[in-house]
Amino acid sequence: MNFVKTTIHFQNSSSSLTLHVPEFIFRAPRWCAVFAVIGLLMLAFQLIFTTIHDSLLEHGLSDRLELNEQLSQIEGTMEYLSGTSADFFRDEQRLHAKFGLPLEDESSRELGSGGLTDPDSLLLRGSSPVYERTSLAREEAERLQNKIENNGASFSTLTEYINQKQSHLRYIPSIAPTNGHYASAFGPRLHPVTGEVGKMHQGIDISNDRWTPIFAAADGVVDVAQLSTTFGNYVTINHGNNIKTRYGHMQMSTVKPGQFVRRYQLIGYMGNTGRSVGPHLHYEVWVGSGPVNPLTYILPNDHSVE
């Protein structure tokens, strides 16, 4: 059987389709030739359509796999954020409990989002797993955003309270003002110089070498920095809230009246001035109009109230 080579060129394209058509078709009646040509054209269009369809299907499947991977990453991120926000809430609860503040209700953080969903969206969500996952991810993201914003506002309030509390605590004596060993306690005692029995000792004595540094026990303003026949070189610091501290028998002071000092700031050096039998610091804490035991205002292990 002989064949005739026929080439079909597509308009506005460099592509072409070459067909080998049996020769008898061209010798057949005209209507047979017409039907044969139409059949060949339909076959060509079918091949082209199948090729394009397969290409689009492959591209769609690739996009869907990529979208599925991105959704999985987003869902993992939101799961992590949800767990992290829960940890933040527990930390916040502990801080509220530590400072005696009312505890927040966790259910108040689980706010809804978006309102009612229209029927068309519900139908689409039911027929498209990808759209369903996307919608759920968006709702979870909105819920987490509301929760984090509420946590942020609560933490801001808590931070402000803690800052105010810390500002107040900086003015409360809480450290030993110098290093050494306790030579005399607070309360009645036998006076080491005069020998007087039952003499009230209004502070504590901390002994060490001359020139041992002495520090302010808390923030405050220097009331007195002068020489006395009894206390020698001494300093009085007013911490506000009716609290004062006094440091006596210093070799010398490094501050002056009216000066603001911070906790741990150097205010002088240990000495043996005034009515004293050896180098030491006489340290007093006054609350209101009377002295109190300074040991109650010294935290263990040299910790401070901050």
Side-chain angles (χ1 to χ4, degrees):
M1 180 183 294
N2 296 324
F3 292 87
V4 176
K5 182 178 180 181
T6 302
T7 303
I8 301 174
H9 295 278
F10 298 101
Q11 187 176 4
N12 298 326
S13 174
S14 61
S15 301
S16 63
L17 179 64
T18 301
L19 301 175
H20 291 81
V21 183
E23 187 180 9
F24 75 87
I25 292 177
F26 294 96
R27 292 197 293 266
R30 183 175 297 276
W31 61 270
C32 291
V34 171
F35 278 114
V37 171
I38 292 174
L40 291 173
L41 290 174
M42 291 179 66
L43 176 62
F45 283 128
Q46 178 67 27
L47 291 174
I48 294 171
F49 177 79
T50 302
T51 302
I52 295 175
H53 176 268
D54 291 343
S55 176
L56 292 175
L57 181 61
E58 182 180 357
H59 183 71
L61 289 175
S62 176
D63 287 346
R64 182 167 181 174
L65 288 175
E66 183 179 357
L67 178 60
N68 184 69
E69 182 179 353
Q70 292 175 352
L71 281 173
S72 298
Q73 292 176 351
I74 292 172
E75 288 168 348
T77 300
M78 287 192 297
E79 183 178 357
Y80 169 77
L81 290 175
S82 180
T84 302
S85 65
D87 292 338
F88 283 159
F89 184 81
R90 285 191 291 270
D91 292 340
E92 182 184 349
Q93 292 284 65
R94 284 193 288 267
L95 287 173
H96 276 79
K98 178 179 179 180
F99 290 100
L101 298 175
L103 299 180
E104 294 286 335
D105 181 13
E106 186 172 8
S107 62
S108 64
R109 308 296 176 88
E110 305 293 337
L111 301 178
S113 60
L116 297 176
T117 305
D118 62 272
D120 292 338
S121 296
L122 289 176
L123 180 61
L124 185 57
R125 287 172 60 168
S127 60
S128 174
V130 174
Y131 186 81
E132 171 74 9
R133 291 180 63 189
T134 304
S135 299
L136 291 176
R138 184 178 65 251
E139 292 173 1
E140 178 67 10
E142 291 176 356
R143 186 187 67 82
L144 282 175
Q145 181 180 0
N146 289 333
K147 188 173 183 179
I148 291 172
E149 287 177 355
N150 276 272
N151 281 359
S154 179
F155 265 113
S156 296
T157 302
L158 186 58
T159 300
E160 182 179 355
Y161 173 81
I162 292 174
N163 289 337
Q164 292 176 352
K165 194 74 172 178
Q166 286 182 324
S167 178
H168 173 71
L169 293 177
R170 286 200 303 266
Y171 293 89
I172 298 178
S174 62
I175 65 168
T178 189
N179 295 321
H181 66 274
Y182 294 104
S184 184
F186 175 84
R189 66 168 184 172
L190 175 66
H191 197 284
V193 177
T194 65
E196 185 178 354
V197 178
K199 177 70 173 179
M200 179 63 183
H201 189 223
Q202 296 182 337
I204 58 174
D205 292 341
I206 304 175
S207 298
N208 208 330
D209 297 331
R210 196 187 303 267
W211 298 105
T212 299
I214 298 170
F215 307 98
D219 292 9
V221 177
V222 177
D223 265 354
V224 179
Q226 65 183 36
L227 178 63
S228 164
T229 56
T230 304
F231 288 106
N233 285 312
Y234 79 98
V235 169
T236 300
I237 300 176
N238 188 339
H239 304 284
N241 296 317
N242 289 321
I243 299 177
K244 294 184 178 182
T245 53
R246 181 185 292 183
Y247 312 78
H249 305 301
M250 293 194 292
Q251 184 68 26
M252 66 170 291
S253 65
T254 58
V255 293
K256 57 185 179 180
Q259 179 179 344
F260 180 80
V261 294
R262 297 281 189 183
R263 178 182 285 128
Y264 290 113
Q265 181 174 333
L266 179 70
I267 61 172
Y269 297 92
M270 188 179 297
N272 190 30
T273 59
R275 189 178 297 174
S276 171
V277 295
H280 73 283
L281 169 68
H282 174 79
Y283 175 56
E284 297 180 2
V285 176
W286 285 63
V287 178
S289 59
V292 297
N293 190 346
L295 291 180
T296 61
Y297 284 85
I298 299 177
L299 296 178
N301 301 320
D302 200 33
H303 290 302
S304 64
V305 177
E306 296 291 353

